[in-house]
Structures are given as structure tokens and as C-alpha cells.
Amino acid sequence: MNDKTRAVYRIGELSGLTGVKAGTIRFYEKCGFIGPVERASNGYRIYHERNVFQLRVCRLVFGGFVNKKLRRESLKVLDASAGWDLEAYERECANYQRAIEEDIERTRKAIDICMAQMSREERKEKEYSKKQAAAMVGVTPEAIRNWERNGLLGCYEPYQRRFYGQALLNRMYVIRLLLDTGYSMMTIRSFMQEYDDGQPKKAEQLLINPREREELCYRSDRYLEALLHLQEKALQLREMKSEMEKH
């Protein structure tokens, strides 16, 4: 059945049906997250079941915490939904869910490293290129360059190709966790400096709010909780594929 023969909604009705405010619906339409949206002869917007589905996708994507990388992946889901491309929607939902799961794994690893304290030994183990290290930690090579410029990864010769062992990878996992949980670059730099100077207790104090529980533990738990919640939403997005096929 052609979508145009199915139920139609005015924007107020669509808002009541989905719980999305009319202004937000217009914003999503302007951004290209829902569409195409038709106009009645009097100029009013009229929406169909596909638009209801697209709004539900928007609510799931924007209803939780995302970092920059996951936001990029989620926008690909929105694009596939807006273009009503079933194959692309299934693929991008799977990619989005996988990216979340990888982030959960990296976050848990970083928390474990923080709690056990970073290894300061440079072990004679396998070393990785900047590109390989970036992929393992879940950042871009440019992010690692920025960390080096800010003195977070120790001393090195400028313009010299650098390789990274497990100790430096551990530092990267911690740096990323601290950045993702809201610490400033200045605080992280001070933390690393105190730690490298053999003052782990002083370093720890930089991340702790003395009036509350350990701030790092609190932020890390909240961040991981948000990722797990996002994982549930990604699963819902994938399960909606069967509904998409009906319209």
C-alpha cells in the first residue's frame, strides 16, 4: 500500500502521538532527519507513518549520552532512516551498536587501569604505530598528536616516528577516559605530571572532590552507565527494522 493512502497527521497530532514538541519536529525536518514532509493545499504540514517512525528513531538517537565518535555513527542511522534506505539502515544500526560495545569495552579497561594505577615500566613487549594505537584506544591519530603536544605522553624527539608500548597505551586509555568524563586538558596534564614525578597520591587528589566520593569513580560509573543505556537504545533501533519494512 502506498504510504500516502495511510493515516496522515497534522503537526499537533504527530507531537501528541510521539511526545516530541512541534518546534523540535520542525527542527528535525530542517536538519533532514525526517522527510519528505508534504504540505496540504492550505500550506499546513502533513505527516505519514514513515515520519512517525523517523521521529522514533530521532528520540532513540538523541535520548542518551553520546561522545563525538558515537554521535557521528548515530547520524548515519538518522540519514538512512530519513532516506528510507532499509539496507543502509540495517548496516548503520549494526555499526552503531558495535561502536558502542567497543566503547564500553575500552571504558571498562580504562577504569581497571585507573583503579590498579598505570604501569610506569616500559616493558619489552610489542609496540604499535600511531595509527594502530589510535584504533586500539578509539581515537584519531591527531588526538594522540595533540596529547603529545600537551606533554601527556612523555618526552620524545619531534618529527621522529614514534612507537607505543603497553605502558603508553595504558596512559592513552586513561587520558581518553578522563576527557570523556569531563576533565579539562589542564587537569589531566597536572595529573600526569604528578604521577610521573612519583606522587600518585597528589595526582589522585587532582581528580577527587573532597566533599563527595571519589570524583573519578563517580564520573566513570556515570559514563559507563550512560554507554550501557545507549547500548539498549541501539538494540531497539535494530529491532525497529522489521517495522520499517511494513511502510
Side-chain angles (χ1 to χ4, degrees), residues 57 61 69-101 230 233-239 241 244:
V57 171
V61 167
K69 180 179 179 180
L70 295 183
R71 183 178 179 82
R72 287 195 300 268
E73 294 298 326
S74 69
L75 289 176
K76 295 176 185 177
V77 175
L78 289 175
D79 288 342
S81 170
W84 211 255
D85 187 332
L86 275 69
E87 183 177 337
Y89 181 82
E90 184 174 29
R91 181 181 66 250
E92 299 305 341
C93 281
N95 290 339
Y96 182 42
Q97 184 178 5
R98 183 166 52 251
I100 294 170
E101 290 169 350
L230 204 61
K233 291 180 178 293
L235 181 59
Q236 292 180 53
L237 286 168
R238 293 192 71 176
E239 292 174 344
K241 164 71 162 35
M244 194 177 189

Side-chain angles (χ1 to χ4, degrees), residues 11 14 18 26-27 29 36 62 64 76 82-83 101 111 141 146 180:
I11 193 167
L14 185 63
T18 62
R26 295 189 189 96
F27 173 74
E29 181 186 345
F62 294 118
K76 295 176 185 177
E101 290 169 350
I111 291 172
N146 184 46
D180 283 345

Side-chain angles (χ1 to χ4, degrees), residues 138-174:
V139 297
T140 63
E142 180 55 38
I144 294 179
R145 292 189 191 95
N146 184 46
W147 297 347
E148 289 176 329
R149 286 192 291 267
N150 279 277
L152 301 182
L153 297 177
C155 299
Y156 68 102
E157 292 294 329
Y159 310 110
Q160 181 179 4
R161 190 176 183 187
R162 193 178 188 190
F163 292 89
Y164 308 87
Q166 191 59 52
L168 283 174
L169 281 175
N170 286 352
R171 290 174 73 98
M172 291 182 200
Y173 280 116
V174 172

Side-chain angles (χ1 to χ4, degrees), residues 27-46:
F27 173 74
Y28 288 161
E29 181 186 345
K30 183 178 179 180
C31 292
F33 298 148
I34 63 172
V37 176
E38 299 178 20
R39 297 270 183 169
S41 58
N42 58 8
Y44 288 123
R45 294 174 173 84
I46 53 175

Side-chain angles (χ1 to χ4, degrees), residues 53 84 86 90 240-247:
F53 178 93
W84 211 255
L86 275 69
E90 184 174 29
M240 286 169 60
K241 164 71 162 35
S242 59
E243 296 181 39
M244 194 177 189
E245 294 170 338
K246 298 176 184 178
H247 301 296

